Every structure is written in structure tokens, then in C-alpha cells.
Amino acid sequence: VVHLISPRAILIIHTERDTMVPVEEARIMYAKAGEPRKIFIIPGMDHKEVYEEINQKVFEMVMQETVHWYNRHLMLNKG
């Protein structure tokens, strides 16, 4: 169903070494999604290694990407 999301924005965040959900699934979803779309694969990380209490630097990187995407595509135009 990912192809039905467009024209709504989709951001896919995944880890490169995910042992719960293979990274290939994220790549397949991205390939099927319409624009606007972005995939952000966190290099060298496993699924659980992105949480703040485990790896603050990676968590901050994920939050930065998420907030940037939100501000660009999901904020209501207040003008």
C-alpha cells in the first residue's frame, strides 16, 4: 500500500544491520513509494541501537532528520 501514500510525504528511517526487519524491506518500500519520499539508512546500526538511552548520537541524528522532514513536508502553511 505504500504506493497509495503519495502525494503525501513519506520518510523511511531504517538501520543498516537491522536483525528484526531486514533493511531490504525499507528499500523495497522506498522504491514503490511516490514523491515526496526519502529513505534514511543509519549505517552500521541494528534496530535497537537508535534509542537515546543506548546511543545518544545516533538518536540525535534520527531526530534531526525527522524534524527536518516534518518542517519541510508536514507543517501547515501559516502564511
Side-chain angles (χ1 to χ4, degrees):
V1 296
V2 72
H3 66 283
L4 300 175
I5 294 172
S6 182
R8 292 165 213 82
I10 183 169
L11 170 63
I12 300 169
I13 298 176
H14 210 285
T15 56
E16 182 180 51
R17 296 185 307 111
D18 199 312
T19 55
M20 296 179 76
V21 181
V23 69
E24 191 56 32
E25 289 188 25
R27 290 187 175 114
I28 290 168
M29 279 196 322
Y30 176 78
K32 292 181 179 183
E35 295 291 341
R37 66 185 180 163
K38 180 175 183 179
I39 190 167
F40 177 56
I41 305 220
I42 304 162
M45 293 289 125
D46 189 8
H47 187 92
K48 64 189 173 296
E49 295 176 322
V50 299
Y51 299 106
E52 185 173 25
E53 60 274 2
I54 296 172
N55 193 328
Q56 186 173 1
K57 182 179 177 182
V58 173
F59 178 79
E60 288 173 7
M61 188 170 48
V62 169
M63 295 291 37
Q64 184 178 28
E65 285 290 328
T66 302
V67 169
H68 176 72
W69 185 258
Y70 178 83
N71 287 337
R72 183 168 179 202
H73 294 285
L74 302 178
M75 292 277 300
L76 294 175
N77 186 351
K78 301 197 182 213

